[in-house]
Amino acid sequence: MSLQRPATAVRTLPHIPEIDSRLPAIGTTIFTVMSALAHQHGAVNLGQGFPDFDCDPRLVDAVDLAMRSGHNQYPPMTGVPLLRERVAAKIESLYGHRYDPGEEITITAGATQAILTAILALVRAGDEVIVLDPCYDSYDPNIRLAGATPVHVSLRPGSFAPDFKVIAAAISPRTRALVLNSPHNPSGTVWSGADMANLAELLRPTEIALISDEVYEHMVYAGEHQSVSRFPELAARSVVVSSFGKTYHVTGWKVGYAAAPAPLSAEFRKVHQFNVFTVNAPMQYGIASYMADASHHLGLAAFYRAKRDRFRAGLASTRLRALACDGTYFQCVDYSQISNRTEADFCRWLTTEVGVAAIPVSAFYAEATEQRIARFCFAKRDETLDVALARLAEL
Ligand SMILES: Cc1ncc(COP(=O)(O)O)c(C=O)c1O
């Protein structure tokens, strides 16, 4: 872009400078579009991934107490020490890896900021970063903001399992990082211990860093969550990201964390310091106090398993075919018995004509991919799920 306008150019004042967009292909996200459509048509919103019920009032009380106790000024840049200590203790008790809360845990403004910060810290212009499609929508633009190239590799169609041969083939001398997400949004699949061992073997001869998005770590319904922090070899090359928004039903609070070995955390913090600097104090103190009771995160799987089972039982009396859901609060369905529409058209139609909003899985792919699969979010009150199911039964 030329920064000088020709002297002859006719200019009306005031003049807004022309901007060469850093993200020219980005519009409003599908989640926002579908939520707006759901609102407009009075549809039950099973599209965007957030609960329609409130969090535990004791968590609100803990934040309230923090504010009333004067925790209203800048907390330390890396996060409130007690919260970092509790995060370290949780990871150690669940996954057996001790992160140093002083050097290796950083509190972030949600997982989204942690992922962007990790990418900006670890990735250079000209690098490549592997993402596994379908994937969460922030990864690709985050990589582009770092001046790097996202390399999209598809998970296996149908099962959404990793295909390590295809991933291996995508690795080049320029590959700097790989973004992993298990439990997986949108498919609800969960990587096994064998998958993690395969990943470790694949990465062993490389300098590739891992950004492990584990925001659904406490929503696993089959076996145990295989955090990369369980695997010393993987943990040594990883930034592990999680979200209190998902775990404590407070997506609007935007508080999460990143755990990484000291040298990676040091780089992460350099970017964090001049991005958000620090995260709101009362939420951090409130969450730290609430976290002392581990039953709040340990009980999450049973809580969501009941909702998953209720939703799947209801889907069994519809013509939608429920795919496996071993983790997250998302349930994917195959609608090929009902319609030949594209996923985007089907979801739009489902929202406006049937009154249930869903998200097309095609929205999570870089390449045009049509599998006749839609994603529902079951983080909803039972009454909400029942109303949606009654409408879906009419299909
Ligand atoms: C896979 C994945 N990563 C990250 C996030 C964002 O988490 P946060 O709200 O803590 O930024 C989400 C939210 O939907 C998600 O599904």
Side-chain angles (χ1 to χ4, degrees):
M1 181 181 71
S2 160
L3 298 177
Q4 288 294 322
R5 308 193 110 221
T8 51
V10 180
R11 165 185 281 209
T12 49
L13 294 174
H15 170 72
I16 299 171
E18 276 177 38
I19 300 297
D20 188 8
S21 174
R22 297 200 68 170
L23 298 170
I26 300 294
T28 310
T29 75
I30 185 73
F31 309 103
T32 307
V33 171
M34 294 310 294
S35 284
L37 206 60
H39 184 71
Q40 196 184 331
H41 291 267
V44 182
N45 191 357
L46 303 191
Q48 207 171 355
F50 60 86
D52 74 342
F53 46 86
D54 222 342
C55 66
D56 185 343
R58 286 170 295 179
L59 178 55
V60 176
D61 288 346
V63 172
D64 182 63
L65 183 64
M67 285 187 194
R68 291 181 194 285
S69 311
H71 292 305
N72 298 306
Q73 309 307 329
Y74 295 131
M77 181 271 280
T78 57
V80 164
L82 181 63
L83 183 55
R84 280 186 278 120
E85 173 50 51
R86 296 233 153 112
V87 169
K90 183 198 78 168
I91 295 174
E92 186 175 17
S93 81
L94 289 178
Y95 311 128
H97 183 90
R98 176 72 187 173
Y99 287 98
D100 174 353
E103 304 268 299
E104 301 186 319
I105 299 213
T106 309
I107 306 303
T108 61
T112 311
Q113 183 240 314
I115 294 163
L116 173 62
T117 302
I119 290 172
L120 291 176
L122 305 180
V123 172
R124 298 286 162 276
D127 287 348
E128 293 176 355
V129 180
I130 296 178
V131 296
L132 305 176
D133 281 3
C135 74
Y136 186 59
D137 64 347
S138 74
Y139 304 160
D140 180 297
N142 284 181
I143 295 162
R144 291 180 196 279
L145 285 174
T149 305
V151 175
H152 290 263
V153 175
S154 285
L155 294 163
R156 287 180 199 275
S159 68
F160 298 101
D163 182 334
F164 288 98
K165 282 210 184 85
V166 182
I167 300 173
I171 293 178
S172 86
R174 296 200 303 167
T175 310
R176 183 82 277 266
L178 185 150
V179 185
L180 170 64
N181 171 221
S182 174
H184 182 238
N185 176 14
S187 73
T189 53
V190 173
W191 282 35
S192 65
D195 290 329
M196 302 307 280
N198 284 332
L199 182 65
E201 192 182 325
L202 182 67
L203 299 184
R204 194 166 299 138
T206 75
E207 291 295 313
I208 297 173
L210 260 184
I211 295 156
S212 187
D213 178 348
E214 303 187 11
V215 299
Y216 301 105
E217 62 177 321
H218 301 300
M219 300 171 206
V220 174
Y221 315 122
E224 290 187 312
H225 172 53
Q226 299 299 325
S227 172
V228 299
S229 53
R230 280 182 193 271
F231 303 86
E233 197 184 335
L234 288 176
R237 59 171 80 228
S238 297
V239 178
V240 180
V241 171
S242 193
S243 167
F244 294 110
K246 304 288 178 188
T247 301
Y248 293 146
H249 315 304
V250 286
T251 59
W253 289 9
K254 297 297 291 181
V255 187
Y257 61 84
L264 299 186
S265 281
E267 291 305 315
F268 181 98
R269 289 172 172 188
K270 287 179 192 170
V271 178
H272 178 77
Q273 172 159 243
F274 295 112
N275 179 1
V276 293
F277 178 62
T278 189
V279 176
N280 69 80
M283 262 66 175
Q284 290 196 61
Y285 281 97
I287 290 170
S289 148
Y290 189 73
M291 247 190 125
D293 183 348
S295 71
H296 296 137
H297 58 263
L298 296 179
L300 201 67
F303 174 81
Y304 276 124
R305 185 185 289 110
K307 292 207 176 286
R308 178 198 68 163
D309 292 349
R310 184 185 194 95
F311 191 52
R312 286 175 69 86
L315 286 174
S317 12
T318 72
R319 288 196 298 147
L320 296 165
R321 185 174 66 82
L323 307 189
C325 168
D326 292 337
T328 74
Y329 48 43
F330 300 114
Q331 174 65 60
C332 284
V333 296
D334 177 324
Y335 63 81
S336 52
Q337 276 188 49
I338 295 170
S339 168
N340 279 328
R341 289 170 200 256
T342 64
E343 293 176 9
D345 279 353
F346 178 79
C347 289
R348 221 167 269 125
W349 171 81
L350 198 67
T351 307
T352 58
E353 305 303 317
V354 182
V356 182
I359 301 289
V361 166
S362 55
F364 297 81
Y365 283 88
E367 297 269 300
T369 307
E370 290 293 342
Q371 302 172 92
R372 307 281 183 269
I373 297 176
R375 188 201 78 176
F376 291 121
C377 171
F378 57 78
K380 308 292 167 186
R381 286 170 288 139
D382 289 350
E383 309 85 88
T384 310
L385 295 176
D386 292 347
V387 172
L389 287 165
R391 293 182 184 178
L392 295 174
E394 302 288 316
L395 286 171

